[in-house]
Amino acid sequence: MPLQLALALLPLLPLLSLTLAGCAATGNGAHTVSEAPGPSAPAAESGTDGPAGSAPPRDAAHADDAATRAFGAITPPRTPPDLCPSPTDTGAPPIPAPPPGTSPDANADQPVHKVAYRVSFVIVPPDGDTSPNGASTGGAFPDGASTDSASTDGTPAMPQPAAASPPSPDAGEQALLDGVRDASLLHRLADTPPDSLTGLHRRMLADEQEAEKVLRAHGYYAGTAEGSIDAAASPVAVRLELRPGPRYVVGATRIRIIDWMRPPATEPAPAPPRTLADVGLAPGAPAASDAVLDAVDRVPAALRDMGYPFARVASARYGVDHAARTLDAAVDVEAGQPTLMGPPQVFGTRTVRPEWLESMADWQPGQPWDERAVDRYRERLRATGLFSAVSVGAVPMADSGAGGQAGDGSTSHPDTPPGTPPGTPPDTSADVPDPTPGTVYTSPVRTEVTEGPHRTVGGGLRYDSTLGPGVLAFWEHRNLLGEGERLRLELPVWDKRQEGKASFRKPSFLRPDQELLAESWVRNETSDAYDQQAAFASLGLARDLAPGWRAGAGVSTEGGRIEDANGPERSYTMWGLPLFLRRDGTDDLLDPTRGTRAELSVTPYTGVYGEPFNVVRSRLDVSAYHVLLRGRADRPGQDGPGGRDGDGTPPADGPDGPDGRLVLAASAAAGSLSGASSGAVPGSIRFYGGGGGSVRGYAYQSLGPREDGDPIGGSSFGEASFELRYRISETLGIVPFLDGGNVYEQETPRFGDAMRWGAGIGVRYYTVAGPLRFDVATPLNPREDDAPLQFYISIGQSF
């Protein structure tokens, strides 16, 4: 019998062999894409048409997990482009028929020809007659606007004729098109063309599904996507039309805390959030998935600031009402054990003293848990520069050894019927009763750190258009005595200045927000204004007054010999009391794009320069930055800590903020010497103007009073600068600028027609350490001996 069955099947073997060969030929050279599935995102429930499902619990401590950035089936793993099912695929869909007007796959014994194609993405309005930007639906947006074209055979893509040249899409349309392009298999596999039109058709079908997920992620829950293939075009033209339809908005939302217990505090506790509007997502806002999920993530964050460090989202359910065009949400939150803050416990140190790190905490043991205080503590530890990793958090009661108390880790609701096993979810159909008193639990603030290297030695070649070529050698120790003390020794040697410098900084001196600062240098300098051989030393304190505000005071002494155009070389000695007040509300220290800065410095001096003198030197600097043109946020390090502005508030246009593609920057500065004439004080504390950090277009220190053509400095100055900083790419930018200013003999600076103006253009090369700057400028109202061009090379923005 088996022999007869084998003989009966023998005629079918050639057909089976041909089928397998065709499948292998179809997959020959195909680019396989596979992604490991990530954790499931919250699923949507709907009584109208929304997808049904349930969501696993979301750990609020890991709310930044990228896999949770979508609803339901909005962003599952990408559909692989395989044309044949894998050996383990038991439910693969059948291969669809080729689109009308196309030929079937080539025979297996014939050579395989790659199908070169180009793809365009087009937004179609509801009526289907014209595009939102006025272009015919048969046309395409220009490259770089709302379409993407790619030739997949290595040759330039052929332009596709359009009925009209539409304007660029608005920000909302561009966001949709960018999202669809990023999710598109046709776009991502453009360099790996398929072997047949059937393969191209399968890619297009996958793109239709991905595009509809992107539409839902942006709040267009009735949106559709439809693709078409023009096989007669060369290369083959693939067109994906997006029909977003109406954008849905946030409807009714509810937050329920299923294990609420009253925090152990004597003061009345603030009410917990009850709707997503309480955490910043108001009804009527666009129902974009990122915005909704971010609001859900803010619910446990708000509870952590109210004394519940273990708060987490237990479940979140979403319902789409197509009739009302709204997205509703019901969120259940486990607040966890109400907790008081204990002292920090530091682990992982080697050479850093743990007691010093513990002294940086600014909370009082026994106060209700406040995550904001924990965040401040974490940032202080990171700001020391001593650690490569810092982790700070509460210790659960089960891990702290505090047992035998009510509320010892059970997640049962206070009204759970007797006999219900611990951890059983409550009856979600009942309203949450009034909070019951919680167990008083005090958690230590567990702090784990990993120390990085503490010593650095280096050097290099440098060039500055003011000081000329130079070399630099330095050595630095950032933990000299075990409490983050930094000692830095530098030897910068320039053509016009030779120095030896030492600086010392001791953080948390006497209090966590105060530093002890010391500095000294010896210098030999030759310039057009004066020749100097001198030494300097200072000692002072600096303290943070509030976020963005800093003040300092100290004592200083300077002495040596100096020669200027006013007379022969003379010795001098002076003592000063430097004072400063600074506010920094910008988003970046080295390259700000928004915010303001201001600094006032006042130094009374007394000393001897031929004759005794007493003088007060004052200076005020103000600058402001404003983004004129935003783009896609591809610039790292643009925001302050945690994606916030310099004043600690989130950027107005979202957590990522603008990338500062075009920034208007303006600055103004003024200074005055009061109590003595400029000729009665050493030239090193007089005011000078001109150069890369002053009025560009004029030589270094050349503005102001002169004697025999040499600058002698003045008693006051005034300056203003304006720049348009345009970032061409992530690493390159151009900066047209206008500078004005002058130096005056009077104690009060003059403005208006007394100012010298210069204009020019610069190039910026952006690095992690800040931008490299090259500027060329010309004076607009030059004096007889001013050169027509000045060149400046330096590190960092001009202000």
Side-chain angles (χ1 to χ4, degrees), residues 673-760:
L673 288 172
S674 58
S677 64
S678 60
V681 299
S684 58
I685 64 171
R686 301 173 195 166
F687 292 111
Y688 301 89
S694 178
V695 183
R696 287 163 289 187
Y698 299 87
Y700 175 61
Q701 294 184 335
S702 65
L703 292 181
R706 296 192 290 179
E707 188 169 306
D708 297 330
D710 294 326
I712 60 174
S715 295
S716 65
F717 83 99
E719 294 176 354
S721 296
F722 306 91
E723 291 188 346
L724 277 176
R725 301 172 181 175
Y726 180 67
R727 193 154 184 156
I728 301 173
S729 66
E730 187 175 346
T731 58
L732 191 64
I734 58 173
V735 179
F737 57 84
L738 174 67
D739 295 344
N742 212 337
V743 178
Y744 311 96
E745 295 180 354
Q746 302 85 0
E747 291 186 4
T748 303
R750 298 167 55 195
F751 293 93
D753 58 0
M755 298 178 67
R756 297 286 174 178
W757 293 91

Side-chain angles (χ1 to χ4, degrees), residues 8 46 51 99 167 175 178 197 225 233 300 306 417 431 456 509 537 560 624 636 709-710 768:
S46 174
D178 290 339
L197 287 173
M306 296 168 52
D431 291 334
T456 303
F509 181 70
D710 294 326
V768 176

